[in-house]
């Protein structure tokens, strides 16, 4: 579980990121989960944008994704979800000291 300082740090780091991942009308499928899992392994912090055709709310989608990926929700702004999962082998963000 991330504390307030860690989330604040990750939010500031996410401002530098572009939305690399999108969820469309097919919503959350196994392929989407695999793609986001690979993204979290490679980058630790990712942004996912939801297209207008997704019927779930952004908060509901964020909760489902976080549970499926064993990740933390950093923030949800509009239809953009920011997720974080630490990579134990090669950490990119030093949040343990915060």
């Amino acid at each position: 579980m991330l504390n307030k300082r860690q989330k604040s740090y990750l939010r500031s780091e996410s401002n530098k990121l572009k939305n690399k991942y999108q969820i469309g009308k097919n919503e959350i499928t196994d392929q989407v989960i695999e793609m986001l899992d690979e993204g979290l392994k490679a980058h630790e912090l990712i942004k996912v944008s939801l297209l207008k055709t997704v019927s779930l709310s952004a908060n509901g989608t964020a909760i489902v994704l976080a549970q499926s990926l064993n990740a933390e929700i950093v923030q949800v702004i509009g239809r953009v979800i920011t997720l974080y999962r630490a990579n134990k082998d090669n950490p990119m963000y030093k949040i343990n000291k915060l």
Side-chain angles (χ1 to χ4, degrees):
M1 187 98 198
L2 297 173
N3 64 35
K4 202 173 193 179
R5 286 185 113 166
Q6 291 169 332
K7 280 191 177 184
S8 176
Y9 169 71
L10 290 172
R11 277 195 303 268
S12 70
E13 291 295 315
S14 73
N15 287 334
K16 303 170 191 171
L17 299 177
K18 295 188 181 213
N19 297 350
K20 290 186 178 180
Y21 305 98
Q22 291 183 341
I23 297 178
K25 66 180 178 181
N26 294 333
E27 299 190 4
I28 302 171
T29 61
D30 291 337
Q31 292 84 10
V32 170
I33 296 295
E34 283 181 37
M35 175 184 64
L36 295 177
D37 186 50
E38 291 299 319
L40 285 168
K41 283 180 188 174
H43 302 290
E44 289 186 341
L45 186 66
I46 60 172
K47 280 183 166 179
V48 180
S49 62
L50 302 177
L51 299 180
K52 292 180 182 180
T53 57
V54 176
S55 61
L56 293 172
S57 69
N59 288 329
T61 303
I63 292 168
V64 170
L65 289 175
Q67 290 174 347
S68 299
L69 296 165
N70 195 24
E72 296 280 339
I73 301 169
V74 175
Q75 70 181 356
V76 178
I77 297 178
R79 300 185 69 78
V80 177
I81 302 166
T82 306
L83 297 172
Y84 172 77
R85 185 177 68 200
N87 185 346
K88 293 175 177 56
D89 298 332
N90 187 19
M92 297 173 84
Y93 300 99
K94 311 290 187 221
I95 66 165
N96 293 335
K97 296 179 183 177
L98 299 176

